[in-house]
mmCIF file of all heavy atoms in Angstrom:
data_model
loop_
_atom_site.group_PDB
_atom_site.id
_atom_site.type_symbol
_atom_site.label_atom_id
_atom_site.label_comp_id
_atom_site.label_asym_id
_atom_site.label_seq_id
_atom_site.Cartn_x
_atom_site.Cartn_y
_atom_site.Cartn_z
ATOM 1 N N MET A 1 0.889 -1.219 0.037
ATOM 2 C CA MET A 1 -0.006 0.007 -0.059
ATOM 3 C C MET A 1 0.906 1.211 0.113
ATOM 4 O O MET A 1 1.980 1.200 0.502
ATOM 5 C CB MET A 1 -0.891 -0.029 1.314
ATOM 6 C CG MET A 1 -0.259 0.149 2.431
ATOM 7 S SD MET A 1 -1.107 0.330 3.943
ATOM 8 C CE MET A 1 0.128 0.843 5.138
ATOM 9 N N THR A 2 0.376 2.345 -0.568
ATOM 10 C CA THR A 2 1.117 3.612 -0.525
ATOM 11 C C THR A 2 0.212 4.657 0.112
ATOM 12 O O THR A 2 -0.955 4.823 -0.325
ATOM 13 C CB THR A 2 1.341 4.066 -2.037
ATOM 14 O OG1 THR A 2 2.274 3.033 -2.617
ATOM 15 C CG2 THR A 2 2.046 5.386 -2.020
ATOM 16 N N LEU A 3 0.729 5.238 1.100
ATOM 17 C CA LEU A 3 -0.130 6.191 1.934
ATOM 18 C C LEU A 3 -0.164 7.402 1.196
ATOM 19 O O LEU A 3 0.677 7.933 0.429
ATOM 20 C CB LEU A 3 0.552 6.330 3.336
ATOM 21 C CG LEU A 3 0.507 5.147 4.221
ATOM 22 C CD1 LEU A 3 1.451 5.320 5.492
ATOM 23 C CD2 LEU A 3 -0.781 4.660 4.560
ATOM 24 N N PRO A 4 -1.193 8.340 1.546
ATOM 25 C CA PRO A 4 -1.384 9.681 1.062
ATOM 26 C C PRO A 4 -0.183 10.546 1.531
ATOM 27 O O PRO A 4 0.588 10.106 2.409
ATOM 28 C CB PRO A 4 -2.678 10.158 1.638
ATOM 29 C CG PRO A 4 -3.406 8.967 2.099
ATOM 30 C CD PRO A 4 -2.370 7.931 2.375
ATOM 31 N N ARG A 5 0.149 11.572 0.703
ATOM 32 C CA ARG A 5 1.149 12.531 1.057
ATOM 33 C C ARG A 5 1.053 13.008 2.432
ATOM 34 O O ARG A 5 -0.025 13.471 2.830
ATOM 35 C CB ARG A 5 1.352 13.657 -0.006
ATOM 36 C CG ARG A 5 1.802 13.155 -1.300
ATOM 37 C CD ARG A 5 2.019 14.348 -2.251
ATOM 38 N NE ARG A 5 2.372 13.909 -3.557
ATOM 39 C CZ ARG A 5 3.530 13.542 -3.932
ATOM 40 N NH1 ARG A 5 4.665 13.618 -3.018
ATOM 41 N NH2 ARG A 5 3.843 13.138 -4.997
ATOM 42 N N GLY A 6 2.096 13.076 3.181
ATOM 43 C CA GLY A 6 2.039 13.638 4.551
ATOM 44 C C GLY A 6 1.925 12.491 5.658
ATOM 45 O O GLY A 6 2.202 12.762 6.819
ATOM 46 N N ALA A 7 1.648 11.347 5.203
ATOM 47 C CA ALA A 7 1.474 10.129 6.214
ATOM 48 C C ALA A 7 2.671 9.250 6.081
ATOM 49 O O ALA A 7 3.159 9.068 4.829
ATOM 50 C CB ALA A 7 0.037 9.505 5.891
ATOM 51 N N THR A 8 2.988 8.605 7.070
ATOM 52 C CA THR A 8 4.091 7.685 7.069
ATOM 53 C C THR A 8 3.643 6.482 7.886
ATOM 54 O O THR A 8 2.795 6.498 8.650
ATOM 55 C CB THR A 8 5.379 8.200 7.627
ATOM 56 O OG1 THR A 8 5.076 8.416 9.104
ATOM 57 C CG2 THR A 8 5.772 9.527 7.111
ATOM 58 N N VAL A 9 4.478 5.394 7.659
ATOM 59 C CA VAL A 9 4.005 4.118 8.321
ATOM 60 C C VAL A 9 4.465 4.077 9.775
ATOM 61 O O VAL A 9 4.070 3.236 10.469
ATOM 62 C CB VAL A 9 4.785 2.963 7.634
ATOM 63 C CG1 VAL A 9 4.294 2.689 6.271
ATOM 64 C CG2 VAL A 9 6.189 3.060 7.679
ATOM 65 N N GLU A 10 5.338 5.092 10.244
ATOM 66 C CA GLU A 10 5.633 5.150 11.673
ATOM 67 C C GLU A 10 4.507 5.578 12.520
ATOM 68 O O GLU A 10 4.637 5.334 13.752
ATOM 69 C CB GLU A 10 6.902 6.107 11.844
ATOM 70 C CG GLU A 10 8.142 5.603 11.495
ATOM 71 C CD GLU A 10 8.345 5.920 9.875
ATOM 72 O OE1 GLU A 10 7.504 6.440 9.209
ATOM 73 O OE2 GLU A 10 9.476 5.687 9.462
ATOM 74 N N SER A 11 3.491 6.055 11.906
ATOM 75 C CA SER A 11 2.184 6.572 12.751
ATOM 76 C C SER A 11 1.649 5.344 13.469
ATOM 77 O O SER A 11 1.421 4.277 12.884
ATOM 78 C CB SER A 11 1.236 7.114 11.754
ATOM 79 O OG SER A 11 0.018 7.206 12.486
ATOM 80 N N PRO A 12 1.454 5.474 14.856
ATOM 81 C CA PRO A 12 0.816 4.353 15.523
ATOM 82 C C PRO A 12 -0.593 4.050 14.970
ATOM 83 O O PRO A 12 -0.885 2.781 14.946
ATOM 84 C CB PRO A 12 0.634 5.035 16.909
ATOM 85 C CG PRO A 12 1.746 6.056 17.006
ATOM 86 C CD PRO A 12 1.886 6.648 15.706
ATOM 87 N N GLU A 13 -1.326 4.922 14.525
ATOM 88 C CA GLU A 13 -2.582 4.669 14.056
ATOM 89 C C GLU A 13 -2.537 3.831 12.695
ATOM 90 O O GLU A 13 -3.260 2.783 12.532
ATOM 91 C CB GLU A 13 -3.368 5.876 13.597
ATOM 92 C CG GLU A 13 -4.787 5.691 13.118
ATOM 93 C CD GLU A 13 -5.450 7.017 12.953
ATOM 94 O OE1 GLU A 13 -5.003 8.048 12.974
ATOM 95 O OE2 GLU A 13 -6.589 7.025 12.362
ATOM 96 N N VAL A 14 -1.529 4.099 11.893
ATOM 97 C CA VAL A 14 -1.343 3.403 10.624
ATOM 98 C C VAL A 14 -0.886 1.937 10.967
ATOM 99 O O VAL A 14 -1.392 1.024 10.429
ATOM 100 C CB VAL A 14 -0.311 4.048 9.759
ATOM 101 C CG1 VAL A 14 0.168 3.037 8.582
ATOM 102 C CG2 VAL A 14 -0.822 5.306 9.084
ATOM 103 N N GLN A 15 0.050 1.864 11.933
ATOM 104 C CA GLN A 15 0.420 0.480 12.238
ATOM 105 C C GLN A 15 -0.534 -0.378 12.770
ATOM 106 O O GLN A 15 -0.679 -1.564 12.628
ATOM 107 C CB GLN A 15 1.653 0.680 13.299
ATOM 108 C CG GLN A 15 2.942 1.249 12.693
ATOM 109 C CD GLN A 15 4.188 1.148 13.540
ATOM 110 O OE1 GLN A 15 4.306 0.086 14.178
ATOM 111 N NE2 GLN A 15 4.848 2.135 13.557
ATOM 112 N N ALA A 16 -1.511 0.234 13.576
ATOM 113 C CA ALA A 16 -2.607 -0.428 14.238
ATOM 114 C C ALA A 16 -3.465 -0.940 13.107
ATOM 115 O O ALA A 16 -3.995 -2.148 13.239
ATOM 116 C CB ALA A 16 -3.366 0.471 15.228
ATOM 117 N N GLN A 17 -3.807 -0.035 12.166
ATOM 118 C CA GLN A 17 -4.679 -0.551 11.009
ATOM 119 C C GLN A 17 -4.045 -1.474 10.151
ATOM 120 O O GLN A 17 -4.623 -2.405 9.600
ATOM 121 C CB GLN A 17 -4.967 0.747 10.220
ATOM 122 C CG GLN A 17 -5.923 1.772 10.895
ATOM 123 C CD GLN A 17 -6.185 2.999 9.996
ATOM 124 O OE1 GLN A 17 -5.728 3.063 8.791
ATOM 125 N NE2 GLN A 17 -6.783 4.045 10.575
ATOM 126 N N LEU A 18 -2.698 -1.406 9.966
ATOM 127 C CA LEU A 18 -2.037 -2.533 9.279
ATOM 128 C C LEU A 18 -1.970 -3.860 9.977
ATOM 129 O O LEU A 18 -2.228 -4.896 9.322
ATOM 130 C CB LEU A 18 -0.603 -2.103 9.155
ATOM 131 C CG LEU A 18 0.445 -3.059 8.295
ATOM 132 C CD1 LEU A 18 -0.124 -3.301 6.999
ATOM 133 C CD2 LEU A 18 1.771 -2.524 8.272
ATOM 134 N N ARG A 19 -1.888 -3.870 11.231
ATOM 135 C CA ARG A 19 -1.941 -5.118 12.070
ATOM 136 C C ARG A 19 -3.417 -5.666 11.899
ATOM 137 O O ARG A 19 -3.558 -6.913 11.758
ATOM 138 C CB ARG A 19 -1.599 -4.893 13.407
ATOM 139 C CG ARG A 19 -0.139 -4.816 13.774
ATOM 140 C CD ARG A 19 0.093 -4.935 15.271
ATOM 141 N NE ARG A 19 -0.302 -3.667 15.978
ATOM 142 C CZ ARG A 19 0.527 -2.612 16.150
ATOM 143 N NH1 ARG A 19 1.929 -2.635 15.699
ATOM 144 N NH2 ARG A 19 0.157 -1.531 16.769
ATOM 145 N N ALA A 20 -4.384 -4.897 11.876
ATOM 146 C CA ALA A 20 -5.652 -5.439 11.702
ATOM 147 C C ALA A 20 -5.932 -6.035 10.363
ATOM 148 O O ALA A 20 -6.648 -7.042 10.201
ATOM 149 C CB ALA A 20 -6.713 -4.164 12.017
ATOM 150 N N ALA A 21 -5.374 -5.290 9.368
ATOM 151 C CA ALA A 21 -5.611 -5.845 8.005
ATOM 152 C C ALA A 21 -4.875 -7.238 7.729
ATOM 153 O O ALA A 21 -5.524 -8.179 7.227
ATOM 154 C CB ALA A 21 -4.950 -4.885 7.008
ATOM 155 N N LEU A 22 -3.668 -7.297 8.440
ATOM 156 C CA LEU A 22 -3.003 -8.531 8.247
ATOM 157 C C LEU A 22 -3.515 -9.686 9.028
ATOM 158 O O LEU A 22 -3.610 -10.848 8.733
ATOM 159 C CB LEU A 22 -1.518 -8.305 8.738
ATOM 160 C CG LEU A 22 -0.769 -7.434 7.701
ATOM 161 C CD1 LEU A 22 0.776 -7.240 8.406
ATOM 162 C CD2 LEU A 22 -0.594 -8.112 6.355
ATOM 163 N N HIS A 23 -4.297 -9.260 10.248
ATOM 164 C CA HIS A 23 -5.065 -10.291 10.979
ATOM 165 C C HIS A 23 -6.187 -10.827 10.119
ATOM 166 O O HIS A 23 -6.545 -12.119 10.182
ATOM 167 C CB HIS A 23 -5.556 -9.535 12.258
ATOM 168 C CG HIS A 23 -6.490 -10.524 13.095
ATOM 169 N ND1 HIS A 23 -5.816 -11.595 13.889
ATOM 170 C CD2 HIS A 23 -7.697 -10.544 13.452
ATOM 171 C CE1 HIS A 23 -6.704 -12.338 14.560
ATOM 172 N NE2 HIS A 23 -7.923 -11.663 14.190
ATOM 173 N N ARG A 24 -6.811 -10.003 9.343
ATOM 174 C CA ARG A 24 -7.901 -10.511 8.521
ATOM 175 C C ARG A 24 -7.284 -11.550 7.425
ATOM 176 O O ARG A 24 -7.899 -12.474 7.055
ATOM 177 C CB ARG A 24 -8.575 -9.318 7.681
ATOM 178 C CG ARG A 24 -9.307 -8.361 8.661
ATOM 179 C CD ARG A 24 -9.794 -7.132 7.837
ATOM 180 N NE ARG A 24 -10.765 -7.483 6.886
ATOM 181 C CZ ARG A 24 -12.068 -7.417 7.121
ATOM 182 N NH1 ARG A 24 -12.519 -7.077 8.143
ATOM 183 N NH2 ARG A 24 -12.894 -7.844 6.108
ATOM 184 N N ILE A 25 -6.180 -11.205 6.864
ATOM 185 C CA ILE A 25 -5.567 -12.140 5.996
ATOM 186 C C ILE A 25 -5.067 -13.461 6.619
ATOM 187 O O ILE A 25 -5.344 -14.551 6.138
ATOM 188 C CB ILE A 25 -4.203 -11.580 5.288
ATOM 189 C CG1 ILE A 25 -4.654 -10.363 4.486
ATOM 190 C CG2 ILE A 25 -3.414 -12.536 4.595
ATOM 191 C CD1 ILE A 25 -3.503 -9.702 3.892
ATOM 192 N N ALA A 26 -4.678 -13.388 7.855
ATOM 193 C CA ALA A 26 -4.333 -14.546 8.635
ATOM 194 C C ALA A 26 -5.537 -15.537 8.898
ATOM 195 O O ALA A 26 -5.451 -16.683 8.806
ATOM 196 C CB ALA A 26 -3.659 -14.124 10.046
ATOM 197 N N LYS A 27 -6.615 -14.840 9.080
ATOM 198 C CA LYS A 27 -7.850 -15.566 9.372
ATOM 199 C C LYS A 27 -8.365 -16.227 8.010
ATOM 200 O O LYS A 27 -8.775 -17.334 7.991
ATOM 201 C CB LYS A 27 -9.050 -14.749 9.854
ATOM 202 C CG LYS A 27 -8.832 -14.391 11.398
ATOM 203 C CD LYS A 27 -9.801 -13.422 11.863
ATOM 204 C CE LYS A 27 -11.241 -14.150 11.831
ATOM 205 N NZ LYS A 27 -12.393 -13.338 12.389
ATOM 206 N N ALA A 28 -8.125 -15.529 6.838
ATOM 207 C CA ALA A 28 -8.637 -16.054 5.498
ATOM 208 C C ALA A 28 -7.687 -16.994 5.077
ATOM 209 O O ALA A 28 -8.117 -17.947 4.358
ATOM 210 C CB ALA A 28 -8.633 -14.823 4.682
ATOM 211 N N VAL A 29 -6.368 -17.090 5.570
ATOM 212 C CA VAL A 29 -5.440 -18.121 5.061
ATOM 213 C C VAL A 29 -4.856 -18.854 6.296
ATOM 214 O O VAL A 29 -3.810 -18.393 6.778
ATOM 215 C CB VAL A 29 -4.218 -17.405 4.279
ATOM 216 C CG1 VAL A 29 -3.469 -18.611 3.652
ATOM 217 C CG2 VAL A 29 -4.873 -16.566 3.068
ATOM 218 N N PRO A 30 -5.604 -19.833 6.832
ATOM 219 C CA PRO A 30 -5.040 -20.416 8.080
ATOM 220 C C PRO A 30 -3.764 -20.968 7.833
ATOM 221 O O PRO A 30 -3.304 -21.657 6.697
ATOM 222 C CB PRO A 30 -6.237 -21.488 8.315
ATOM 223 C CG PRO A 30 -7.368 -21.102 7.522
ATOM 224 C CD PRO A 30 -6.771 -20.354 6.361
ATOM 225 N N GLY A 31 -2.830 -20.927 8.843
ATOM 226 C CA GLY A 31 -1.557 -21.595 8.929
ATOM 227 C C GLY A 31 -0.464 -20.711 8.119
ATOM 228 O O GLY A 31 0.771 -21.065 8.006
ATOM 229 N N SER A 32 -0.882 -19.532 7.720
ATOM 230 C CA SER A 32 0.112 -18.601 7.040
ATOM 231 C C SER A 32 1.131 -18.057 8.006
ATOM 232 O O SER A 32 0.918 -17.792 9.273
ATOM 233 C CB SER A 32 -0.711 -17.542 6.228
ATOM 234 O OG SER A 32 -1.335 -16.743 7.152
ATOM 235 N N ARG A 33 2.277 -17.584 7.485
ATOM 236 C CA ARG A 33 3.378 -17.041 8.305
ATOM 237 C C ARG A 33 3.500 -15.614 7.864
ATOM 238 O O ARG A 33 3.700 -15.363 6.548
ATOM 239 C CB ARG A 33 4.585 -17.884 8.189
ATOM 240 C CG ARG A 33 5.740 -17.397 8.767
ATOM 241 C CD ARG A 33 6.879 -18.523 8.848
ATOM 242 N NE ARG A 33 7.149 -19.087 7.577
ATOM 243 C CZ ARG A 33 7.958 -18.536 6.695
ATOM 244 N NH1 ARG A 33 8.653 -17.451 6.944
ATOM 245 N NH2 ARG A 33 8.081 -19.261 5.473
ATOM 246 N N ILE A 34 3.384 -14.635 8.641
ATOM 247 C CA ILE A 34 3.263 -13.069 8.296
ATOM 248 C C ILE A 34 4.339 -12.306 8.942
ATOM 249 O O ILE A 34 4.584 -12.402 10.179
ATOM 250 C CB ILE A 34 1.970 -12.539 8.492
ATOM 251 C CG1 ILE A 34 0.899 -13.373 7.718
ATOM 252 C CG2 ILE A 34 1.890 -11.034 8.013
ATOM 253 C CD1 ILE A 34 -0.561 -12.832 7.977
ATOM 254 N N ALA A 35 5.030 -11.499 8.234
ATOM 255 C CA ALA A 35 6.022 -10.568 8.729
ATOM 256 C C ALA A 35 5.764 -9.227 8.120
ATOM 257 O O ALA A 35 5.553 -9.063 6.860
ATOM 258 C CB ALA A 35 7.508 -11.000 8.580
ATOM 259 N N SER A 36 5.836 -8.165 8.814
ATOM 260 C CA SER A 36 5.650 -6.826 8.334
ATOM 261 C C SER A 36 6.391 -5.749 9.202
ATOM 262 O O SER A 36 6.960 -6.127 10.228
ATOM 263 C CB SER A 36 4.098 -6.431 8.228
ATOM 264 O OG SER A 36 3.704 -6.319 9.609
ATOM 265 N N PHE A 37 6.348 -4.606 8.732
ATOM 266 C CA PHE A 37 6.908 -3.509 9.688
ATOM 267 C C PHE A 37 6.204 -3.275 10.999
ATOM 268 O O PHE A 37 6.918 -3.069 11.963
ATOM 269 C CB PHE A 37 6.980 -2.152 8.825
ATOM 270 C CG PHE A 37 7.386 -0.987 9.683
ATOM 271 C CD1 PHE A 37 8.725 -0.807 9.798
ATOM 272 C CD2 PHE A 37 6.546 -0.070 10.262
ATOM 273 C CE1 PHE A 37 9.345 0.312 10.464
ATOM 274 C CE2 PHE A 37 7.067 1.120 10.929
ATOM 275 C CZ PHE A 37 8.479 1.158 11.076
ATOM 276 N N ALA A 38 4.869 -3.560 10.949
ATOM 277 C CA ALA A 38 4.233 -3.467 12.151
ATOM 278 C C ALA A 38 4.550 -4.524 13.138
ATOM 279 O O ALA A 38 4.507 -4.240 14.349
ATOM 280 C CB ALA A 38 2.694 -3.564 11.842
ATOM 281 N N SER A 39 4.998 -5.702 12.688
ATOM 282 C CA SER A 39 5.271 -6.750 13.693
ATOM 283 C C SER A 39 6.811 -6.862 13.854
ATOM 284 O O SER A 39 7.141 -7.419 14.996
ATOM 285 C CB SER A 39 4.870 -8.063 13.110
ATOM 286 O OG SER A 39 5.578 -8.380 11.889
ATOM 287 N N THR A 40 7.650 -6.299 13.073
ATOM 288 C CA THR A 40 9.137 -6.328 13.302
ATOM 289 C C THR A 40 9.855 -5.021 13.528
ATOM 290 O O THR A 40 10.927 -4.981 14.133
ATOM 291 C CB THR A 40 9.881 -7.103 12.103
ATOM 292 O OG1 THR A 40 9.630 -6.243 10.965
ATOM 293 C CG2 THR A 40 9.153 -8.478 11.845
#
């Protein structure tokens, strides 16, 4: 994803939303292994 100008991934709100999106993917694909900026 590419955030609008002025926003960065360091934002706590962005990271929380990213974790929520990846949680949806983890539920849709059981047994998957996920790594991202939000988790590492």
